[in-house]
Amino acid sequence: MSLVKTIKVNAIKNGTVIDHIAAGKVLKVIEILSLAGDNSVMIGMNLESNKLGRKDILKIENRELTKKEVNSIALIAPSATLIIINDFEVVNKSSLEIPEYIEEHIICPNPKCITNIEDIPSKYYIHKAGSVTARCVYCEKKYLVEDLKIKV
Amino acid sequence: MKNLISMRDLSKEDIMRLMDTAAKIEKGEIVPNMQRKLAALLFFEPSTRTMFSFDTAMKRMNGDTIIMSGTGNTSAKKGETFADTLQTIAQYSDIIIMRSSIEGAARYAAEVVDLPVVNAGDGANQHPTQALLDLYSIIKTQGKLDNLKIGLAGDLRFGRTVHSLAQAMAIFGAEFKFISPSFLQMPQYIKDDLAEKDIKYEEFNDIEGNIDDLDILYVTRVQRERFADPEDYEKVKGSYVLNKKMLQNVKKYFKVLHPLPRVDEIHTDVDDTEFAYYFPQAKNGVYARQAIISILLEEV
């Protein structure tokens, strides 16, 4: 991490860094992770990035994300990098990958879809060609992922 | 094939097997026997034609049916979950055939019960048995399904039959003309599907002048209720009424299909022409549904 970036967003001792979030998307990531609990959270927005031009970054102290949370974040920040920090050291770094199939995390926007009428989890197939879209297994409607409400 | 939920699930081979089976049943070359088999017809959304067609199909094969129409006489009203209703009815029957206004209801039913499930229409989503009987009508009149030019006219936005049919004919490389009022156009997600498969389509606002190069014109009703302003309906309704005069220059084997019920979108003067095929189409529905039930119950 460069000196400039360290000054802009402080390092954390233990926890998770989500780097290379497309600029403007960090608030949606925060919403998904419901970051209103005990963890210290640091946010950087619209920072310069070699990879993206501009990026957002999120640092969450003393928290590791579940697979479900990672899948949800991948949907809205597919360019992001997930970094696990232990005692100020990077112990794991991975690129997020959009899953091809996802259960529960998407709220189907179609009010007539059975997932909004019966108490059953939504199921979506994700299509990555061109704009990332998601098709509901049940009502078969297709949506741009960026237009969907994601939950964990 | 374990269930029939969506045209999306069917391969070209599945469809051709269904067509072949329907033809053999119609010709009497195979006679499926459904004696001691019971189909549960669960029509949470009322329908007469589709329900009668399935009922006829089952009875023509010596099978029987139990019928539920609407939710008034079920436990759904008492707060029973949909899953419990389905699991209970599954104890009585060999196959579940269901219609619901809830989109995805049949897909969910197929997850809940071990019996074969047939989607007889789920909201504005799919109506695969109608699409299959439409395909059967097309293959009977055109001798093939490949590379035909199909016109779909009327309410293309809310009409699930035209959605299923467009997806089905896309498998066979059809070319489409979509003829509808601007606000009742084919939904974008269907057009995206067609574009992905390199299927050509054009959009028009009038039937007249746009049918001479077609093999099939599939007409659906433009419902007055869809228009916010009744005056708007009055202005456009004539553009979606097919009459005999419009048929002067159509192709030799051109046929007009309609899922029925017809209101006034096909003038009765078309009925006597060689191009009208909507009543035989309804009869084809019985053969197509016999084929579907037989294949799902592994009786052919």
Side-chain angles (χ1 to χ4, degrees):
Chain A
M1 188 177 283
S2 73
L3 179 63
V4 176
K5 284 175 186 168
T6 308
I7 290 165
K8 281 181 177 167
V9 185
N10 283 343
I12 55 174
K13 187 178 179 192
N14 295 303
T16 301
V17 176
I18 307 167
D19 197 2
H20 302 116
I21 301 169
K25 295 280 175 72
V26 72
L27 293 177
K28 207 158 182 184
V29 174
I30 290 170
E31 190 187 320
I32 287 174
L33 296 177
S34 307
L35 291 175
D38 298 331
N39 310 96
S40 302
V41 176
M42 278 158 277
I43 304 165
M45 292 176 76
N46 217 26
L47 306 177
E48 277 181 30
S49 160
N50 290 335
K51 193 174 159 188
L52 300 174
R54 293 275 168 187
K55 69 170 184 181
D56 290 351
I57 187 168
L58 182 67
K59 299 186 178 190
I60 314 159
E61 202 138 45
N62 299 322
R63 177 157 164 189
E64 276 199 39
L65 304 185
T66 64
K67 181 81 184 153
K68 271 186 176 183
E69 288 171 328
V70 173
N71 279 344
S72 294
I73 293 167
L75 286 176
I76 54 159
S79 58
T81 311
L82 191 72
I83 304 160
I84 311 296
I85 307 286
N86 192 350
D87 201 17
F88 294 108
E89 295 290 326
V90 172
V91 294
N92 195 293
K93 192 171 182 175
S94 57
S95 298
L96 292 190
E97 203 171 316
I98 303 176
E100 288 181 349
Y101 172 78
I102 190 160
E103 275 192 30
E104 287 183 48
H105 307 310
I106 295 173
I107 298 170
C108 188
N110 175 8
K112 289 186 176 166
C113 178
I114 189 150
T115 58
N116 289 316
I117 292 164
E118 294 287 317
D119 186 20
I120 58 172
S122 70
K123 295 177 183 173
Y124 271 81
Y125 284 108
I126 311 295
H127 300 260
K128 298 179 213 174
S131 331
V132 183
T133 55
R135 184 187 299 283
C136 177
V137 164
Y138 294 102
C139 72
E140 303 189 13
K141 300 280 182 296
K142 194 163 112 179
Y143 300 96
L144 282 173
V145 164
E146 60 192 50
D147 293 340
L148 289 169
K149 197 162 182 194
I150 314 284
K151 61 169 184 178
V152 171
Chain B
M1 221 168 90
K2 189 179 176 299
N3 305 292
L4 177 62
I5 307 299
S6 167
M7 288 310 289
R8 229 175 244 294
D9 303 336
L10 298 186
S11 65
K12 201 169 178 172
E13 291 68 35
D14 291 331
I15 292 172
M16 292 317 294
R17 183 183 172 207
L18 281 156
M19 298 296 108
D20 187 48
T21 307
K24 284 179 175 159
I25 290 172
E26 182 175 359
K27 288 176 196 152
E29 290 171 15
I30 51 174
V31 185
N33 185 9
M34 295 291 156
Q35 209 169 13
R36 302 176 67 82
K37 298 279 184 190
L38 195 63
L41 306 185
L42 308 183
F43 280 67
F44 298 102
E45 186 184 55
S47 141
T48 42
R49 276 150 220 277
T50 305
M51 196 174 74
F52 281 163
S53 178
F54 273 112
D55 198 31
T56 307
M58 202 60 193
K59 287 171 178 164
R60 290 268 187 211
M61 299 187 289
N62 297 321
D64 211 343
T65 54
I66 48 173
I67 296 178
M68 190 187 73
S69 187
T71 52
N73 54 352
T74 70
S75 301
K77 257 177 90 176
K78 300 174 191 163
E80 185 183 46
T81 64
F82 184 48
D84 280 6
T85 304
L86 290 166
Q87 300 232 46
T88 308
I89 289 163
Q91 308 306 314
Y92 311 146
S93 49
D94 299 291
I95 183 168
I96 288 180
I97 296 162
M98 61 175 285
R99 168 171 289 191
S100 171
S101 59
I102 300 169
E103 294 170 15
R107 176 85 62 197
Y108 177 58
E111 291 176 355
V112 170
V113 300
D114 287 333
L115 308 180
V117 174
V118 177
N119 183 6
D122 62 331
N125 185 32
Q126 286 274 334
H127 193 357
T129 67
Q130 177 73 45
L132 288 165
L133 81 87
D134 295 339
L135 292 184
Y136 186 51
S137 300
I138 293 170
I139 202 169
K140 272 180 74 176
T141 59
Q142 307 297 319
K144 62 173 188 173
L145 291 175
D146 289 301
N147 306 317
L148 294 170
K149 194 153 187 179
I150 312 278
L152 300 175
D155 179 354
L156 306 185
R157 183 175 170 190
F158 297 103
R160 59 191 165 199
T161 59
V162 288
H163 300 167
S164 293
L165 184 59
Q167 286 167 340
M169 285 309 295
I171 298 173
F172 295 93
E175 200 176 309
F176 292 103
K177 281 187 171 180
F178 298 145
I179 305 165
S180 71
S182 303
F183 78 99
L184 292 177
Q185 279 180 352
M186 190 60 89
Q188 194 57 46
Y189 75 94
I190 302 276
K191 291 193 276 192
D192 288 346
D193 279 355
L194 299 180
E196 268 173 36
K197 296 187 176 95
D198 289 327
I199 298 295
K200 278 194 217 160
Y201 64 84
E202 296 174 283
E203 297 184 290
F204 301 93
N205 293 123
D206 284 286
I207 288 183
E208 191 154 25
N210 287 314
I211 60 174
D212 293 352
D213 58 343
L214 297 177
D215 299 300
I216 294 285
L217 176 65
Y218 194 94
V219 183
T220 60
R221 187 157 65 101
V222 174
Q223 296 178 56
R224 188 187 298 264
E225 310 85 88
R226 301 283 187 214
F227 290 76
D229 185 345
E231 271 185 34
D232 289 342
Y233 172 75
E234 294 302 323
K235 268 186 234 159
V236 304
K237 71 174 187 184
S239 305
Y240 306 99
V241 177
L242 181 74
N243 61 48
K244 193 174 178 176
K245 246 202 293 187
M246 296 174 181
L247 301 171
Q248 282 169 357
N249 298 311
V250 294
K251 287 166 93 169
K252 191 176 174 192
Y253 297 109
F254 171 78
K255 288 287 179 277
V256 179
L257 303 186
H258 190 300
L260 304 177
R262 160 180 63 171
V263 181
D264 53 9
E265 58 279 11
I266 300 175
H267 195 282
T268 49
D269 67 7
V270 177
D271 296 2
D272 297 334
T273 70
E274 66 201 277
F275 308 113
Y277 196 71
Y278 21 95
F279 295 117
Q281 182 188 356
K283 187 171 184 182
N284 291 338
V286 176
Y287 301 125
R289 289 178 172 120
Q290 281 181 283
I292 292 161
I293 294 168
S294 305
I295 288 173
L296 290 176
L297 289 178
E298 297 174 353
E299 294 292 330
V300 284

